[in-house]
Amino acid sequence: MDSVFEPDLMQRWEMTVDRLIVHAERWHSTREVVGRLADGSIGRSNWATVARRARQVSVGLSAHGITRGTRIGTLAMNSIRHVETWYGVMGYGAVCHTLNPRLFDDQLIYMINHADDRWIFADPIFRAQLERLLPHCPGVEKVIYLGDSSEVPALPANAIDYETWIAEADPSLAAWGQFPERTPAALCYTSGTTGNPKGVQYSHRSQILHTLVSGQRDFLGLSARDTLLSVVPMFHVNAWGLPFIAAAAGSKLVLPGARLDGASVYELLESEGVTFTAAVPTVWQLLFDFLSENNLRLSTLKRVAIGGSACTEALIRGFRDGHGVEVLHAWGMTEMSPIGTISGPLPVSLGEPDEATRMAYNLKQGRVPFGVDLKITAENGDRQPHDGTAPGHIMVSGPSIIQSYFRDDKPAVDAEGYFDTGDIGTVDPQGYLQITDRSKDLIKSGGEWISSVEIENIASGHPKALMAAVVAMPHPKWRERPLLVVKLRPGQTATAQEFLDYLKGKIANWWIPDEVRFVDEMPLGATGKLDKKVLRAKFAAPVI
Ligand code: AMP
């Protein structure tokens, strides 16, 4: 929309993501970018070198006739070469489609074909997997393996190793930017819990605004003094935007490669002096198991962002009391680029004299930054009050939030322009959002909603529990009742009654699950989240 009064007298500075890496190259050139290599050793680079090699990627793509707007897939863990690739692809105006290697073959085949990915950059460790997929993906013309020639011997004619490939490219020939900011930059597919996965295509503008929004002090608030370990993978909503935010802030960036076990993450945190990190709760559970088995402490870490699924009290206490680390509990989703809210304190929450009340604030998913607006609505679409008790559908709007899915003409927003996140929650008078469920995971007992997330959070605080999940079971009278599924800590045994007794007094009596089952393994989806579909299928028989 152009102003009807006067022309805009400020510069047309199109917000394209190449500006982020150019900024880091010019103003933080020697700040390190570090990554674990396939053999476990640590590779060291810096923002200037990453930018130079990203330019070589762009030149290589244009030399081979890749045009702007073409989708380029990546099937890779977080590494220096992967970061170079995504800046090289996006800077050039092609679209970087980060594929999640943990998905099933048929899901990946669907995504590659639906996106019409023309080239794929893949880690050598995923070679066998990719070679299984390619016969079903006729649109893919070329594969670049993110390694050197020794790592991927005997390649077919349409594949080459990254180092040999970029060696030919002259970085000075790269033409970055020079296209409108609403040009597509990146593509991610949602976890696809029902039906086919859906594509979310981010524009350059939406990515830059997400970077600025999430960089605010009460959000991720990264600085040039921070060392950032991006445990969250680039294939999970672009690592929550962290490689963009690190370039904007000039932070040192650390990339864990394929090793996400407790020992390897601990080693990186300590040896690189990491001050900030981010991942889903399951990663931190693995780290804590390793720390307690080996009686170790975290000496440099100051803040950790935890999101993707609800953060438990045990994790917040473990980080805070055991290691002096502040937990930022974050909520968001692929459709939001992904950050929606973070549990930063307010004077009123900090000033609460009662520790339990302060913890209750910390456990909530948090408040919106400037750049995200949110409403909660009842079934009929009316806005619910912000009283901390009335639950509703969480609807969001903002410049980094989806308008329509990729290759789908229908708008994904309501008449007011708000997107329905599929999450259910409350907002309290201080503006703190609390997720009580996914709408499809809601338990409706006798017409009233029971929050599976809240019961899980309390049950997972039981000293014998490693993980807890609550799912709805059919019931003849109440229609649905909660069933608690528990994975115990190694070596522990427990009875159902112990867990039911533990919950009593902490939740309303009618929320107490009707039954408790113990499992050896919790089913986890491709982004490390609990897969309730599997649990529902497994325990499908009525409990009563
Ligand atoms: P994804 O698009 O794969 O990142 O999944 C997004 C979904 O994960 C959200 O819609 C929520 O249901 C869930 N989620 C993300 N963060 C949280 C959180 N902090 N607490 C509870 N659920 C979360």
Side-chain angles (χ1 to χ4, degrees):
M1 267 178 286
D2 287 324
S3 162
V4 292
F5 302 109
E6 292 266 357
D8 181 356
L9 297 182
M10 306 311 279
Q11 297 181 10
R12 279 307 284 260
W13 201 84
E14 296 299 290
M15 292 187 281
T16 53
V17 302
D18 52 289
R19 295 198 186 266
L20 295 170
I21 186 84
V22 168
H23 170 79
E25 176 186 40
R26 281 197 193 135
W27 301 104
H28 303 279
S29 58
T30 56
R31 196 69 169 126
E32 277 187 302
V33 178
V34 173
R36 196 186 285 284
L37 303 171
D39 65 2
S41 65
I42 305 297
R44 313 198 83 83
S45 184
N46 58 35
W47 284 113
T49 310
V50 168
R52 176 172 50 76
R53 285 161 57 90
R55 284 195 172 82
Q56 288 179 285
V57 170
S58 302
V59 172
L61 291 171
S62 85
H64 288 81
I66 293 293
T67 51
R68 288 188 168 149
T70 305
R71 271 146 325 259
I72 306 290
T74 66
L75 189 70
M77 305 303 293
N78 292 2
S79 69
I80 302 174
R81 291 183 181 118
H82 196 180
V83 171
E84 292 165 359
T85 301
W86 91 335
Y87 274 116
V89 169
M90 294 188 219
Y92 175 58
V95 181
C96 188
H97 173 201
T98 41
L99 291 152
N100 181 346
R102 297 177 189 145
L103 291 170
F104 295 118
D105 285 5
D106 53 356
Q107 290 171 306
L108 286 168
I109 291 167
Y110 174 85
M111 290 174 187
I112 293 169
N113 290 333
H114 188 260
D116 192 18
D117 292 334
R118 305 294 290 282
W119 283 27
I120 293 185
F121 287 71
D123 279 343
I125 47 166
F126 300 128
R127 181 173 174 182
Q129 183 180 11
L130 187 57
E131 285 178 351
R132 272 200 318 273
L133 307 177
L134 287 179
H136 308 280
C137 305
V140 177
E141 293 159 5
K142 198 168 182 74
V143 176
I144 312 281
Y145 284 105
L146 294 167
D148 61 31
S149 57
S150 69
E151 290 172 77
V152 271
L155 286 174
N158 67 346
I160 187 168
D161 71 276
Y162 181 83
E163 294 302 332
T164 308
W165 179 69
I166 63 165
E168 294 168 14
D170 174 357
S172 70
L173 300 178
W176 272 357
Q178 304 164 22
F179 46 79
E181 62 188 24
R182 289 192 181 266
T183 302
L187 178 66
C188 289
Y189 281 73
T190 58
S191 329
T193 36
T194 50
N196 279 328
K198 292 185 192 151
V200 180
Q201 185 169 263
Y202 312 98
S203 66
H204 283 260
R205 178 178 192 272
S206 75
Q207 297 283 41
I208 297 270
L209 288 172
H210 184 262
T211 304
L212 298 177
V213 165
S214 39
Q216 293 174 70
R217 177 94 186 265
D218 275 345
F219 258 59
L220 301 183
L222 283 163
S223 90
R225 294 170 300 287
D226 273 310
T227 294
L228 157 63
L229 172 66
S230 178
V231 180
V232 55
M234 287 156 70
F235 54 74
H236 188 187
V237 211
N238 294 320
W240 303 349
L242 293 176
F244 291 136
I245 299 166
S251 313
K252 170 175 165 182
L253 177 63
V254 184
L255 302 153
R259 300 195 188 184
L260 304 181
D261 58 285
S264 305
V265 169
Y266 174 74
E267 188 206 327
L268 276 184
L269 288 170
E270 290 297 305
S271 64
E272 298 301 330
V274 172
T275 58
F276 181 97
T277 184
V280 293
T282 33
V283 168
W284 303 124
Q285 197 55 57
L286 293 176
L287 176 71
F288 274 116
D289 290 349
F290 175 78
L291 295 178
S292 63
E293 276 159 26
N294 296 282
N295 205 14
L296 293 167
R297 273 185 55 79
L298 301 169
S299 65
T300 62
L301 189 64
K302 295 201 170 49
R303 294 181 304 142
V304 54
I306 304 184
S309 45
C311 175
T312 61
E313 185 168 341
L315 268 186
I316 295 180
R317 286 192 188 284
F319 271 115
R320 191 189 63 187
D321 304 344
H323 304 274
V325 174
E326 183 191 356
V327 172
L328 305 167
H329 185 195
W331 165 83
M333 63 193 314
T334 309
E335 289 87 336
M336 299 179 77
S337 298
I339 292 175
T341 58
I342 287 193
S343 65
L346 286 177
V348 59
S349 55
L350 273 183
E352 277 291 343
D354 176 29
E355 205 276 332
T357 315
R358 287 199 303 274
M359 175 57 78
Y361 276 118
N362 212 177
L363 277 172
K364 291 188 179 187
Q365 277 72 9
R367 293 163 37 85
V368 290
F370 169 72
V372 175
D373 192 26
L374 184 149
K375 64 178 180 179
I376 49 169
T377 57
E379 296 295 336
N380 62 4
D382 287 353
R383 285 173 192 243
Q384 294 281 61
H386 290 185
D387 60 6
T389 55
H393 297 271
I394 303 169
M395 317 277 295
V396 287
S397 81
S400 309
I401 295 172
I402 192 167
Q403 174 75 18
S404 299
Y405 285 99
F406 179 60
R407 296 195 195 284
D408 185 350
D409 295 337
K410 290 189 299 298
V413 295
D414 70 4
E416 286 183 341
Y418 285 73
F419 169 74
D420 184 348
T421 62
D423 286 336
I424 305 291
T426 59
V427 176
D428 70 19
Q430 313 301 340
Y432 283 86
L433 169 74
Q434 182 164 22
I435 305 285
T436 50
D437 248 308
R438 287 292 292 160
S439 51
K440 64 182 184 328
D441 292 339
L442 265 182
I443 303 170
K444 216 164 187 186
S445 178
E448 299 285 346
W449 286 350
I450 294 179
S451 163
S452 65
V453 175
E454 202 169 328
I455 309 176
E456 281 159 11
N457 190 21
I458 296 171
S460 60
H462 189 289
K464 291 183 178 175
L466 195 58
M467 274 183 97
V470 174
V471 289
M473 298 306 302
H475 187 281
K477 177 167 176 199
W478 304 112
R479 298 193 69 87
E480 284 180 351
R481 290 291 302 152
L483 165 95
L484 173 65
V485 185
V486 179
K487 178 180 173 184
L488 293 170
R489 291 185 175 279
Q492 293 289 352
T493 54
T495 62
Q497 198 56 45
E498 278 177 61
F499 274 87
L500 297 178
D501 290 344
Y502 183 78
L503 290 171
K504 277 195 190 121
K506 298 190 176 81
I507 50 175
N509 271 345
W510 63 277
W511 281 29
I512 300 277
D514 285 17
E515 196 162 321
V516 183
R517 304 276 185 99
F518 296 97
V519 289
D520 293 335
E521 280 313 325
M522 278 290 185
L524 297 181
T527 48
K529 299 183 195 192
L530 200 63
D531 192 343
K532 291 197 177 177
K533 261 195 334 283
V534 176
L535 287 180
R536 275 193 290 265
K538 183 164 175 175
F539 300 111
V543 243
I544 306 294

